[in-house]
Amino acid sequence: MSYFYITTPIYYVNDNPHIGHAYTTIACDILARFNKLQGKKVYFLSGTDEHGQKVEKAAEINNKKPQDFVDEMSENFRNLIPNLGCEINDFIRTTQNRHIEAAQSLWSKLEKNNQIYLSNYEGWYSIRDEAFYLESELIKKNNIFIAPSGAPVEWVKEESYFFKLSNWQDKLLTYYKDNPDSIKPQSRYNEVVSFIKSGLKDLSISRTTFKWGIPVPNNQKHVMYVWIDALCNYLTSLGYPNIDNDKFKNYWPGLHVVGKDILRFHSVYWPAFLMAADLQPPKKVFAHGWWTNDGQKISKSLGNVINPYDIISEFGLDQFRFFLFREVPFGNDGDFCKNSISQRINADLSNNFGNLIQRICSFINKNCNSLIENNFNLIKEDQDILTSSKNCLDKYRMHMNNQEIDKAIKKIFELLSESNIYIDKQAPWSLKKTDVSRMNVVLSVSIELIKRSTFMLSPIIPESTKKIFNLLNINFKTLSFDNIFEINSFSQKINTAKPIFPRIEVND
Ligand code: MSP
């Protein structure tokens, strides 16, 4: 049995979920569903990051006790997941006891392995990014230093525990040399390697100036730096510190999907913590880009935050999922605008895919009494298009296994365009009068093409897939990569065709 572990970042609960959170969660859901189709056992984790100064401050602004505040906010993230059509295996919260125990165990293990020492930290800190910065990394704006992300920074001076990150520079470089596929896309791999080469300093991993965090074992004056606490969630869910249980043994290490802003934490600090605790580093970290809104950076102060619920109620859930991954190469930045989503829906889902389904199925409804007499006496044109569908499936699988979701979708839509041309040329509506047996071949091939394309699209648009398989009277659960090319030689009843992807009115 093959196992696949996939994680979203755990989301800060200082604010409400927006398109950025939805994007990562849907990406993971698509990859999880695809791996299930491949017959793998999948474990998909998401959750909330509830400690640290940023969350503590947000609770204060809202006049709430931190625990009450995080209980409330975490629910917003938990509830969003099924509303995005995502099916997770576990939702972790860093304020849960299981996590506090796991994080403290990880800390004790690092201490036991002589990876931690007590000293003093003096330098720049950004609460918004929850990150320490070197002065050389900062930008000066109107004579004030700000973080590269634009976040404010403050000078902090306090007693702190340090992790001996500097000891891991060479080991990390060797690890990445030996595992060039462990950070994707390639440009991000290069970025991380050159960051490590530029020199790693020991990392401050505890704070004393606030209380909302996991206490450091044996020194209650300190709470853990929120990132060591947060990263550990990926272990907690698998039962850490018990690494002999089946879940841990089967699933660790996994694939972490993250935004580009938090790549350094996942591909420098995290593998170093893991190796220092005698654990394997992540199998892969995939960093995706950021969405802007009509060309503008999304931020609360600009008032242009995109609420996923609004988009779903305006355009539909599968339409939203489809747009996010069809429009922009996974890994690049993307711009969200209502015109682009409308155009994508109309061009790809309504015209290309929807039309193919609608005209074939309603033709069978009207002219064949909804019953298709399967006939596979193929001629060259039929064989060619069926071969194209096989080649498409191979490419689709390769791209999806490399997290190239956009490239996989593009292949399916090339096949769909080719299928539409095939149907236009074969014109079953004319064959009805001249050659019914040939008409049945064309209809049988067309239904096969719809079946195969729908199977490939199922991780991306799962709700619509269900409707299409219902229409075709095919039990989706019985389909797999092993039997998807088996052709159905029995007569097949088609249900009444209704448009699956209504067109969207576009205002120019
Ligand atoms: N709590 C940390 C992650 C800890 S993981 C051990 C965190 N949380 S976050 O809520 O601020 O961000 C979560 C994810 O949302 C990040 O991967 C981030 O890149 C992503 N996005 C936030 N805004 C985004 C866009 N505008 N576009 C795409 N993704 C963005 O960081």
Side-chain angles (χ1 to χ4, degrees), residues 115-135:
Q115 300 290 333
I116 290 179
Y117 61 91
L118 186 62
S119 183
N120 288 294
Y121 178 77
E122 189 169 356
W124 295 102
Y125 190 76
S126 157
I127 298 177
R128 198 170 94 190
D129 295 351
E130 295 284 18
F132 298 96
Y133 287 109
L134 295 174
E135 194 154 306

Side-chain angles (χ1 to χ4, degrees), residues 9-12 18 20-21 23-24 49 227 230-231 233-234 258-259 261-262 266 288-291 298:
I10 47 170
Y11 302 114
Y12 283 129
H18 59 64
H21 307 116
Y23 186 49
T24 326
D49 190 353
W227 271 99
L231 288 160
N233 89 87
Y234 304 132
V258 302
D261 54 317
I262 55 171
H266 283 83
H288 64 70
W290 268 48
W291 284 93
I298 296 174

Side-chain angles (χ1 to χ4, degrees), residues 14 21 44 80 102 105 107 213 271 280 317 334 345 451 465 488 504:
N14 60 312
H21 307 116
F44 172 14
L80 177 67
S105 302
W107 183 286
Q280 284 184 66
L317 172 57
I345 294 170
K451 179 188 98 185
T465 303
N488 177 8
I504 309 280

